[in-house]
Amino acid sequence: MDPRRKYTGPWCPAAASRSVVVSEESCCWGSWASLQCPLGLWGTTLTENTAENRELYVKTTLRELLVYAVFLVDICLLTYGMTSSSAYYYTKVMSELFLHTPSDTGVSFQSISSMADFWDFAQGPLLDSLYWTKWYNNQSLGRGSHSFIYHENLLLGVPRLRQLRVRNDSCVVHEDFREDILNCYDVYSPDKEEQLPFGRLNGTAWTYHSQDELRGSSHWGRLTSYSGGGYYLDLPGSRQASAEALQDLQEGLWLDRGTRVVFIDFSVYNANINLFCVLRLVVEFPATGGAIPSWQIRTVKLIRYVSNWDFFIIGCEIIFCIFIFYYVVEEILELYIHRLHYLSGIWNILDLVVILLSIVAVGFHIFRTLEVNRLMGKLLQQPDIYADFEFLAFWQTQYNNMNAVNLFFAWIKIFKYISFNKTMTQLSSTLARCAKDILGFAIMFFVIFFAYAQLGYLLFGTQVENFSTFIKCIFTQFRIILGDFDYNAIDNANRILGPTYFVTYVFFVFFVLLNMFLAIINDTYSEVKEELAGQKDELQLSDLLKQGYNKTLLRLRLRKERVSDVKKVLQGGEQEIQLEDFTNTLRQLGHAEHLTELMATFSRFDQDGNRIPDEKEQEQMQQDLEGERVALNTDIEHLGRSIVSSPPGESGPEAARAGGCVSGEEFYTLTRRVLQLETILEGVVSQVDAVGSKLKMLEKKGQLAPSPGMGEQGIWEHMQPVPAVTPAPWGVQGWQDSEFPCEREGEALEERRLSPAGRLQCCRGVGVTPPQGKVHEGSVEGLLWTFH
């Protein structure tokens, strides 16, 4: 007997893979205790022996799915708890105020095209939007020197202007123009950055400060990336003082040919919705001249625990940490069991990614909380300094992006738990099978795609914005496939090559290559679907749900029958019922096993305690039973009518067989009996072959003759099969004494397999009795009885 068949606990692949020989006598629970994996709560399909047990596999997967569903709900609550539906409108209001408000000359931030336009915006719409100290009727807000933008948003600290410059000798003028062009300012790069004082040579606006001194961060603009240092000016707390400071910068020529970028940074806070809005207005001055405005508005929630919803999120965060600990232990166990082979599965790698991102999220959450407390404490002590929330808002945005990616992977991970269903495996099977074909197709596709991208960049890059860089060309060509494209722009750029490029690209990429891609996936999907349709149906999740449905329905129907039978006893017509008559009648109706429960019900209605319910007490009992019967009918109807339930009166294993299913214990017992019968039949067949060979040899030698007094008819009568004997039912007392029907304590299977007497003993164990008298081992009679 396979030793694993006696072990019903958790399966440990590491232990099962060892070359251990265990005899039947030593194959007990104690011998398996040393090989057992202490998994318990962390048991998964990778740590349980589910390869040969489909029901265990489905149940384990279902348990994992239910636990993961709770984790997914928790992470969704945390992710959406960091955002607010008001964040978009907050961003929209701030952008309209600072980006679209025009000056007296009609210049808004988005329309800045020169240095002169920048000063018009800075001294007009910018100051008007930053400092709100009066109502629309010129009445003071009465809130001191603080500015409340739109009367709701507190300006934190003071705004800051900062610029970066390049050196005069950062480029070389051609010798033919050196007499006319004396200065040369290259495009910005950190190695060409100006760090010497200029202009009036005093104050922070005219002297350079490094990124470390300003505790700034780099910025990725439209043209290039800029460092966090430079020349800066913190505007005063009032509009009048700020206007004078800006006028002083303009007169001192703070912006000149060496200026490459100007930043305007400030932060506001809205207590109504508990949101910070960190704004950065950027104006780049390229080496070509002119100005390119851009902006960055980050609306973030930095203070977490204010409202009741925030305190609910605290509970979700605690649950999230518990889940992370649970999954970390689970992954450690799976890594310990499967070693590096664990990393060969894509779902296992996805598990590690989700856990690592979650751990980073927890660490950043702690850092963010401490940093906000530090900045707010510093700002409250010195309200007239610049409140640098840019760094924190940047990492809060990255934190939100990381959580978004983590949540995306968490949702994709659901396919890991539902892939045991044939319908759910169609997508993964299709992609896995056509991966090689798609890889080969992708090489051919991108060769043509990049060839057209370079062609478009070289043909239209100087005139069409969508082709101004190679990266933009790539995205533009994807947009052409989707139909989002400005054809007139390339037609005006080149009237001959423009239409030629467009027509040939659409033909080869859209009509040919794209349809080849769809054909590869469609053919593979058809093959996968056909194979899945021809596969043998295995135990599915729906089967488990159906079994649970049948058990629940059967339990409700049996309870309903007990209620009906009690009502029959009460409706017998007698005004008084003796307790003994009540119990005897219920026992005759087949409710002996539920007699204790029914007696408790009888005593509950026996108000006077005389153990004889009178007419009033019987009426009360009938009303209560009628209400319970109606409730049970309602429960049964709610379960649905699609499944045919077992007939009334069946219970236990019989009801399970009537519903088309058996319990796990019965299935295990039947499996062992089938293995026992296979072993016996193998011995029978081998001995029949041996006897047949001996009979042929004796017949050839002439030594085979009938027994004295027995003719041919007697031989045939003697060899008639014995009457069929009905074996004992499975699971009766005769089978419960040992693990196999013919197994006794200390008796090994190999002894029965080799010994004819053992086979005869097994026949007696199943209820077949040999004929009276001595049956010789190895004789024809013994062989026939062994076979029977």
Side-chain angles (χ1 to χ4, degrees), residues 533-601:
Q535 289 181 358
K536 180 181 178 181
D537 291 336
E538 296 180 336
L539 182 65
Q540 304 293 332
L541 177 61
S542 58
D543 299 330
L544 289 179
L545 296 178
K546 189 182 298 183
Q547 292 178 11
Y549 170 87
N550 286 332
K551 292 179 180 178
T552 305
L553 187 62
L554 177 63
R555 192 176 297 111
L556 290 175
R557 289 189 178 277
L558 292 177
R559 185 178 177 186
K560 178 183 175 183
E561 291 176 8
R562 292 200 301 270
V563 172
S564 301
D565 290 341
V566 172
K567 290 189 63 178
K568 291 179 181 178
V569 176
L570 295 176
Q571 293 174 357
E574 299 181 2
Q575 294 183 353
E576 294 184 353
I577 301 178
Q578 296 290 338
L579 178 61
E580 296 181 359
D581 297 337
F582 181 80
T583 56
N584 293 333
T585 305
L586 291 176
R587 190 177 288 109
Q588 293 175 2
L589 291 175
H591 300 290
E593 56 181 357
H594 305 288
L595 200 58
T596 304
E597 178 183 354
L598 297 174
M599 288 294 298
T601 304

Side-chain angles (χ1 to χ4, degrees), residues 61-75 323 326-327 330 347 350-351 354-355 406-417:
T61 304
L62 180 60
R63 181 181 60 81
E64 289 185 67
L65 177 60
L66 294 178
V67 174
Y68 186 75
V70 179
F71 169 75
L72 188 60
V73 171
D74 184 70
I75 194 175
F323 270 111
Y326 171 81
Y327 283 116
E330 180 180 288
W347 294 118
L350 186 61
D351 291 343
V354 172
I355 291 175
N406 193 21
L407 184 60
F408 170 78
F409 285 143
W411 276 101
I412 296 299
K413 188 182 170 182
I414 293 181
F415 285 101
K416 172 184 177 181
Y417 301 109

